[in-house]
Amino acid sequence: MPRSPLLFPLLLLLLPPLAPCFGLRGAGSRPECGPCRPERCPAPASCPAPGISARDECGCCARCLGAEGANCGGRAGARCGPGLVCASRAAGAAPEGTGLCVCAQRGAVCGSDGRSYPSVCALRLRARHSPRAHLGHLHKVRDGPCEFAPVVIIPPQSVHNVTGAQVCLSCEVRAVPTPVITWKKVMQSPGGTQVLEELPGDHVNIAVQVRGGPSDHEATAWILINPLRKEDEGVYQCHAANVVGEAQSHGTVTVLELSKPKSPRFPAPDDHM
């Protein structure tokens, strides 16, 4: 029996799609790359990090790469620059499917320009946009922030109070590495020269405390005088030092003597007679 000429087209309709076998792409995949025609590329938008650019999937049109802190992923398929990875964010913090470009190598670094950078990626970005032409002029010197001498951010404020009360002086310092902070009282020797007495020493009414913070590479020191005596009056020095240098600042404590109330004197009975 002869086969119907319409049977073969019907069989083709019943077969599964053969697009992948013929080099065609299904819906949802990236488009087939044809010959590169730069004149058909969209006008490049201003990149969040100028100079960080790359070619698209077809290697034809220029596209921007995200700098550290830029959005990545999402429907647009935004990519991160060199040395960066696209990290997911907490639910609700950004549109679904988007992440944040973060440096693959975490931690602050010190650059050859003496500046601290939050990451090696930030240093590379700075080097890329530097006006200096030759490569390698700006590079990482060490992990961690650059060392610098202490700087007094908040000096001690002068205070006053009456005897028997209490006073407190504070001093806030920034430095790398962490400085050693001490309190000293400025004294005068019998010869008239300035002498620094380190505290608390033998003073039972003086306490000194130091702790890190409130921010990174900062330290805060306090000196508490309680109870306050007249001889505690004077100038107090906050001194900070590390391997790079030192700094100091002063505050004055003024003590007002609290006069004792005089008991009333009643006249003797004989005074009226």
Side-chain angles (χ1 to χ4, degrees), residues 251-262:
T252 302
V253 173
T254 303
V255 181
L256 306 175
E257 287 194 88
L258 187 62
S259 58
K260 296 181 180 179
K262 295 181 180 180

Side-chain angles (χ1 to χ4, degrees), residues 48-195:
I52 301 183
S53 61
R55 298 295 175 182
D56 59 11
E57 290 83 352
C58 295
C60 182
C61 299
R63 64 183 300 180
C64 295
L65 297 181
E68 193 170 7
N71 291 330
C72 55
R75 294 184 178 180
R79 294 187 295 169
C80 300
L84 302 171
V85 294
C86 187
S88 60
R89 290 190 279 194
E96 185 178 357
T98 63
L100 191 70
C101 292
V102 298
C103 191
Q105 301 179 32
R106 303 293 182 89
V109 297
C110 177
S112 57
D113 58 351
R115 295 180 55 183
S116 299
Y117 294 85
S119 68
V120 68
C121 300
L123 183 145
R124 291 170 182 164
L125 181 62
R126 174 83 177 187
R128 187 178 291 110
H129 303 311
S130 175
R132 300 281 294 276
H134 65 279
L135 297 176
H137 67 278
L138 178 57
H139 57 276
K140 184 182 81 170
V141 174
R142 59 184 289 265
D143 291 322
C146 297
E147 294 182 346
F148 60 93
V151 178
V152 178
I153 305 171
I154 301 178
Q157 302 295 314
S158 296
V159 294
H160 65 273
N161 211 333
V162 297
T163 53
Q166 71 175 27
V167 294
C168 182
L169 298 176
S170 65
C171 180
E172 194 172 311
V173 181
R174 178 184 293 126
V176 174
T178 302
V180 175
I181 305 179
T182 56
W183 285 96
K184 301 175 182 180
K185 186 178 182 182
V186 181
M187 309 285 289
Q188 293 291 331
S189 69
T193 58
Q194 189 179 88
V195 178

